[in-house]
Amino acid sequence: YPLPAPERVRLLTDAGSFEERDGELAAGDPLGFEGYPDRLRSAREKTGLGDAILSGVGEIGGRRVALAVMDFRFIGGSMGSVVGERVARTVELARAEGLPLVTVSASGGARMFEGIYSLMQMAKTSVALSRFMEGSKPYISILTDPTFGGVTASFATAADIIIAEPGARVGFAGARVIEQTTKERLPEGFQTAEFQREHGMVDRIVHRLALKGDLERLLGFVG
């Protein structure tokens, strides 16, 4: 049961507290990739979003936070130039205003329609986070099903605290690709949230209905 970004924001934030930022940003077609403008138009009509992310400022338990939430319905939650830019701006907003940072990831990885422009977002978001980490405010990352590719390899796993939903698939490449490359059979449950917690990549596994309360407690400790 994947959740749309607006519904995820509703579940995590105090009622009526969320204010969207940077919603005017829209992806172009820098490579002239055949069919990409049509895919963008279709995704916008389907989701009501400008791209695969909803970002801004809201309150969690009365505590103001910078928040960026991805939406898998929008071209598989792929990270193109707009997603990367909005994540980076959210991180910079948190740094400038001294706010805790919370992200929610749901992505198949880089957006192939934008080629190298998509891959550059990994560096952009990582640099923004490195500056944010110089301060004292926490960064909490929530991994949902699925979180893969460049999102996993950049901002989603560079947090102070990493939370995953039960059973969420988290990794870089897919299991089948890894098996074909290594010529080895992978362990049972490989790339599940539970496997990642057992091996130290994930700190906590929390059901979505308990996430808001868990965030309130964590922000009370470290926010």
Side-chain angles (χ1 to χ4, degrees), residues 40-162:
L40 286 172
R41 184 163 44 253
S42 175
R44 288 167 183 153
E45 292 173 354
K46 174 184 176 182
T47 64
L49 300 175
D51 213 290
I53 191 167
L54 188 58
S55 60
V57 175
E59 293 183 4
I60 299 177
R63 190 179 299 270
R64 198 161 176 261
V65 301
L67 179 66
V69 179
M70 299 189 71
D71 196 313
F72 193 77
R73 299 175 302 161
F74 198 108
I75 314 183
S78 50
M79 182 167 66
S81 55
V82 168
V83 169
E85 181 67 15
R86 288 188 68 166
V87 169
R89 290 191 184 192
T90 304
V91 175
E92 290 166 352
L93 171 67
R95 179 171 178 260
E97 299 192 12
L99 302 176
L101 173 66
V102 178
T103 64
V104 182
S105 299
S107 177
R111 187 169 297 176
M112 66 176 186
F113 303 101
E114 296 185 20
I116 190 65
Y117 294 96
S118 177
L119 296 178
M120 289 168 63
Q121 307 312 308
M122 297 171 62
K124 178 194 292 182
T125 56
S126 297
V127 168
L129 276 173
S130 70
R131 293 172 179 164
F132 174 80
M133 292 298 192
E134 293 173 355
S136 60
K137 294 300 180 180
Y139 168 33
I140 301 174
S141 174
I142 300 169
L143 312 180
T144 71
D145 185 67
T147 299
F148 276 95
V151 169
T152 303
S154 56
F155 69 89
T157 53
D160 296 302
I161 302 170
I162 300 177

Side-chain angles (χ1 to χ4, degrees), residues 188-189 192-203 205:
E188 188 70 24
T192 62
E194 291 74 14
F195 184 93
Q196 303 294 15
R197 182 181 61 179
E198 182 181 342
H199 291 81
M201 183 177 177
V202 167
D203 298 307
I205 296 177

